[in-house]
Amino acid sequence: MTDRRRSTSRRSGDERRDYQRIKATTEVSLLQSGSDSSREPLNGMLSDVSSNGIRILVDIPLVIGESLLVEVHNAGKHLFNSTAKVIWQEQEPSGKYTTGCELRVLLTQKQEKTLSAFLDRATESNNFVRS
C-alpha cells in the first residue's frame, strides 16, 4: 500500500475507508517483529479501530511495512489481540507519531459487537472518548 500522502486514489479521508471506524482512546501494547524476547513491548494509545485497521499514537517511529503484534486493553480489561502491518506514519508537532496499521486478521462481527458494546459502556463511565 502507498503512503497516504502520495495516494493515487481519488477518494480521500473517510471515503477511502471500507469499514466503519470506532474512535476510542485506550492503551495499546505493540511487540515489533524481529524483537528479541528480552525487549519490552512498546506502549501507545489507540485512536480508532475498524474491522481492518487501527490508528495509534506512539513515541518512536516505526518502519513502514513492519509487522506488529497488537494488544488493545483498558484498565486491565483485554479487548482484542491481532497482528498488524504498519502502512503509514506522520510525526505530530508534539514529537509523537500517528501510525496507521492494517490488521492482518479482520475483526469478526462478534468482536466488533463486543468492542462496540464495551466502548458504549465505557463512554457512559467516562473511560473512553467515542465519536
Side-chain angles (χ1 to χ4, degrees):
M1 189 173 248
T2 60
D3 183 326
R4 74 178 183 161
R5 291 168 290 188
R6 296 184 197 152
S7 176
T8 57
S9 172
R10 291 186 178 197
R11 298 185 297 170
S12 63
D14 290 340
E15 291 181 48
R16 290 186 308 198
R17 310 289 183 226
D18 293 329
Y19 299 94
Q20 178 184 0
R21 289 186 296 165
I22 299 169
K23 185 170 180 133
T25 303
T26 190
E27 303 98 20
V28 63
S29 295
L30 309 168
L31 185 58
Q32 296 172 271
S33 63
S35 297
D36 62 50
S37 60
S38 65
R39 196 166 154 195
E40 292 292 318
L42 175 63
N43 294 315
M45 292 299 291
L46 180 71
S47 294
D48 64 47
V49 61
S50 71
S51 294
N52 68 335
I54 59 173
R55 182 171 38 181
I56 55 177
L57 187 65
V58 292
D59 292 332
I60 64 170
L62 300 174
V63 177
I64 303 299
E66 178 178 15
S67 293
L68 305 168
L69 177 59
V70 179
E71 180 181 281
V72 178
H73 47 89
N74 182 263
K77 182 170 176 74
H78 177 265
L79 298 179
F80 68 89
N81 286 351
S82 187
T83 55
K85 179 180 177 182
V86 177
I87 302 298
W88 62 267
Q89 186 165 66
E90 294 178 348
Q91 188 170 18
E92 299 296 320
S94 67
K96 294 188 181 237
Y97 295 86
T98 298
T99 307
C101 299
E102 176 182 72
L103 296 178
R104 305 313 284 178
V105 178
L106 298 181
L107 296 180
T108 65
Q109 286 182 342
K110 183 177 179 181
Q111 287 171 317
E112 283 182 33
K113 186 176 179 181
T114 300
L115 179 60
S116 184
F118 179 81
L119 292 173
D120 286 339
R121 287 190 307 274
T123 299
E124 292 169 6
S125 63
N126 296 320
N127 291 333
F128 279 90
V129 175
R130 183 173 182 181
S131 62

